[in-house]
Amino acid sequence: NAGVTQTPKFQVLKTGQSMTLQCAQDMNHNSMYWYRQDPGMGLRLIYYSASEGTTDKGEVPNGYNVSRLNKREFSLRLESAAPSQTSVYFCASSSVPQDEQFFGPGTRLTVL
Amino acid sequence: GQQLNQSPQSMFIQEGEDVSMNCTSSSIFNTWLWYKQDPGEGPVLLIALYKAGELTSNGRLTAQFGITRKDSFLNISASIPSDVGIYFCAGQRDAGGTSYGKLTFGQGTILTVHP
């Protein structure tokens, strides 16, 4: 079992460019999450998907969109990247919303 | 958005020393969690606490769920070099309604252990 995988590991964008961060889990989990981590801020929830077919905004959704492609995959899209979106992005999954969340290794994004 | 207040922000200790960190909130959580993040990795769950007053151990780690449900602490005894990393507390309300089991994280405690 790979657990939660994320691609890419690193990415540099110019302001205004778009990109999609990919996340997949092989644990047959129903719920998936996207967080961003900034120095001194801990992790903040961007979007989550409690089950396949549903997505909801978290604490900091502005500038992002998500797609729950199927039960395994949950992608995060930046339509027009801004320097304020420079961060480390983590995907996580859990069996059901209140269960333990397992995190991927993260994507380190820099927006110039 | 709401965050938990975690302290201290960083700690520099000698190998063998005990470590204590805590988390406080202005609102109640039904579950408290403690995660560790190694450099370049995602957080990994260390201990989960589900009941007010609960004291739980995992090896050299001990954590407690505060009676008021607004705080929690983590102790690490006899620290070793591999304890280095960032430790996060997280609070969780029950799933249902708009909560959906979402985690609220503290800012993290950076732990450095000198051999």
Side-chain angles (χ1 to χ4, degrees), chain A residues 37 41 90 97-98 100 104 108, chain B residues 3 37 40 42 45 88 95 100:
Chain A
Q37 182 179 28
M41 297 289 290
F90 288 100
Q98 62 267 39
E100 176 185 354
R108 284 144 188 83
Chain B
Q3 279 202 310
Q37 184 180 23
L45 183 65
F88 290 100
Y100 272 104

Side-chain angles (χ1 to χ4, degrees), chain A residues 3 6 8 12 19 22 33 35-38 40 42 52-53 55 57 62 69 72 91-92 94 98 103 106-107:
Chain A
Q6 294 183 235
V12 178
M19 80 160 295
Q22 306 286 354
Y33 311 82
Y35 293 89
R36 60 177 288 173
Q37 182 179 28
D38 301 295
E52 187 179 357
T55 60
K57 295 178 180 179
N62 291 345
L69 304 170
R72 289 187 63 248
C91 177
S94 63
Q98 62 267 39
F103 287 80
T107 294

Side-chain angles (χ1 to χ4, degrees), chain A residues 14-30:
Chain A
K14 294 181 180 177
T15 297
Q17 287 185 318
S18 62
M19 80 160 295
T20 300
L21 281 63
Q22 306 286 354
C23 174
Q25 51 89 12
D26 61 3
M27 296 175 282
N28 200 35
H29 284 171
N30 292 296

Side-chain angles (χ1 to χ4, degrees), chain A residues 33 35 37 40-45 48 50 57 59 90 97-101 103-105 108, chain B residues 1-3 35 37 40-43 45 86 88 92 95 98-103 105-107:
Chain A
Y33 311 82
Y35 293 89
Q37 182 179 28
M41 297 289 290
L43 283 82
R44 292 180 293 169
L45 183 65
Y48 64 98
K57 295 178 180 179
E59 185 184 350
F90 288 100
Q98 62 267 39
D99 273 0
E100 176 185 354
Q101 293 182 21
F103 287 80
R108 284 144 188 83
Chain B
Q2 179 195 3
Q3 279 202 310
Y35 285 84
Q37 184 180 23
E41 302 291 332
L45 183 65
I86 305 176
F88 290 100
Q92 187 178 47
T98 59
S99 294
Y100 272 104
K102 289 183 286 186
L103 295 179
F105 281 85
Q107 303 95 323

Side-chain angles (χ1 to χ4, degrees), chain A residues 20-93:
Chain A
T20 300
L21 281 63
Q22 306 286 354
C23 174
Q25 51 89 12
D26 61 3
M27 296 175 282
N28 200 35
H29 284 171
N30 292 296
S31 305
M32 298 185 74
Y33 311 82
W34 276 105
Y35 293 89
R36 60 177 288 173
Q37 182 179 28
D38 301 295
M41 297 289 290
L43 283 82
R44 292 180 293 169
L45 183 65
I46 305 171
Y47 270 93
Y48 64 98
S49 171
S51 60
E52 187 179 357
T54 69
T55 60
D56 284 286
K57 295 178 180 179
E59 185 184 350
V60 288
N62 291 345
Y64 306 96
N65 285 302
V66 291
S67 295
R68 184 74 182 266
L69 304 170
N70 47 56
K71 192 172 185 179
R72 289 187 63 248
E73 299 172 287
F74 188 38
S75 63
L76 178 72
R77 183 160 178 85
L78 287 70
E79 289 292 348
S80 179
S84 61
Q85 294 178 304
T86 293
S87 189
V88 182
Y89 291 86
F90 288 100
C91 177
S93 71

